[in-house]
Amino acid sequence: MPSTSVATAEVPWPRSEPAALSPTPEETALRDSLRAVLGKHSGMAQVRAAALSDLGYSPKLWQLLVDEMSVAGLAIPEERGGLGYSTTELAIVLEECGRALVCEPVFSSAVLGAQALLQADPADNNPLPDVLTGRSLATVSALDPSTDDLRAQRSPRGWSVDGTVTHLAGGGTADVIVASASSLDGRRLFALRPDVDAVRTERQVLDPTRRQADVTVRRCPAIVLTEPDATEAVTSRMHDLATLALACENTGIVERLLELTVEYTRNRHQFGRPIGSFQAVKHRLADLLVLLERARSASRYAAAVYAEDPDSARLAVAVAGAVCTDAAVHAATEAVQLHGGVGFTWEHPAHSYFRRALGNEAAQGDARIHRARIATLIGL
């Protein structure tokens, strides 16, 4: 969800009380359970096979994540059919999904799609219940006129939308698309249900584990999510959530890349010694560890602040976006180089993590964009 606009707001900084960051036993259990599931069903060979399949993900693993790990309903209020947790728990899920490089629609459907559909009236044929059970997949556009060339019309039978929305993560398989559209009295957010007549065009992307598509609809039935006066605020909140989600993913990527690189430098020998014993290599590994700890601190703090009040989390989210984007791209580059010639091959996992890191950077902007937002938020 790239966005070139920067929302300014009064930022409560410094905070009077620190956000709770120490993991609870319940959070630790969630992480351990999810890591065990992904370790069994999301190895690199399985990830690549799923990415190359017709759907671009494994339906078996997706349903397992929805049914047994409740990833779609984790941060949904209980009165709306969820478990009533928050972005603190979602951050754990996203870290582990980044670590395992899952291509299942956790980011697009379970996180962004489910949270966006909370804006809909439960009585208005809301697709949220089907999204929470995994029967339907949702995705959210960039919510920007540059990607959402859509026009909405209202008739006695309800709203309908015409036009094209581009760069949709999971757009080729999504049953529900949340996008912005112009109407006679301003832009609104809508939930669209593309029918069989919708034209879906897959885009060529750098990261094959996260497909994108353009979708063209004509007279597509739509559910209104926001009125014009609320669209900007909800859009800003969704942009923050997308930035936070990818920051958490990037933290998991850095963790896994450091593990792979440490293991390789322990086992690869030159001149009768492990290459990890050479001082130059030690320094580079130490730098990666520092990047990991910075990314963890930034993303987990932002998730905790967002859980308390999304509108007061903008600065923390922007910091997490900058820190975690830098960390993931740098860690991927170092992993490729420290693995030597094998790290440059398509067959090595570092190659796939590198592509995901660059894909995430393109999706939400590089560190310079996030730092520019930080400067705006603090009044520089």
Side-chain angles (χ1 to χ4, degrees), residues 121-329:
D121 186 341
D124 194 17
N125 194 27
N126 191 343
L128 180 60
D130 286 341
V131 172
L132 297 185
T133 60
R135 288 194 297 268
S136 293
L137 296 181
T139 189
V140 180
S141 75
L143 305 180
D144 188 273
S146 64
T147 58
D148 299 9
D149 183 17
L150 298 170
R151 295 155 299 283
Q153 293 184 332
R154 192 172 191 174
S155 69
R157 293 183 294 177
W159 287 93
S160 63
V161 171
D162 295 89
T164 301
V165 57
T166 64
H167 298 84
L168 272 172
T173 54
D175 304 293
V176 181
I177 296 172
V178 175
S180 62
S182 60
S183 60
L184 290 177
D185 55 351
R187 291 191 74 83
R188 289 177 166 88
L189 301 188
F190 292 90
L192 316 179
R193 291 180 179 270
D195 55 24
V196 293
D197 294 328
V199 178
R200 302 177 190 250
T201 306
E202 291 284 344
R203 299 185 69 90
Q204 185 174 358
V205 292
L206 178 66
D207 175 20
T209 66
R210 180 164 285 154
R211 294 184 184 177
Q212 295 181 15
D214 301 340
V215 181
T216 299
V217 296
R218 187 170 183 272
R219 296 181 182 177
C220 179
I223 300 171
V224 66
L225 302 183
T226 64
E227 295 300 322
D229 58 351
T231 297
E232 184 178 356
V234 174
T235 298
S236 179
R237 198 173 301 149
M238 291 304 301
H239 285 157
D240 285 342
L241 179 61
T243 298
L244 173 59
L246 293 186
C248 295
E249 256 200 13
N250 284 336
T251 300
I253 288 172
V254 177
E255 180 183 38
R256 184 57 182 152
L257 286 172
L258 179 58
E259 290 175 356
L260 289 171
T261 307
V262 168
E263 181 182 5
Y264 179 80
T265 57
R266 281 176 175 167
N267 296 327
R268 180 74 168 91
H269 284 66
Q270 284 185 346
F271 309 109
R273 294 170 54 188
I275 63 172
S277 66
F278 299 128
Q279 190 175 44
V281 176
K282 286 181 179 179
H283 286 175
R284 294 172 74 172
L285 292 175
D287 289 342
L288 288 181
L289 179 59
V290 171
L291 286 177
L292 172 58
E293 293 304 325
R294 290 181 64 207
R296 277 177 176 162
S297 298
S299 61
R300 293 180 186 181
Y301 178 78
V305 177
Y306 193 98
E308 294 176 3
D309 179 14
D311 293 329
S312 71
R314 293 194 178 107
L315 180 58
V317 169
V319 170
V323 170
C324 297
T325 300
D326 264 350
V329 173

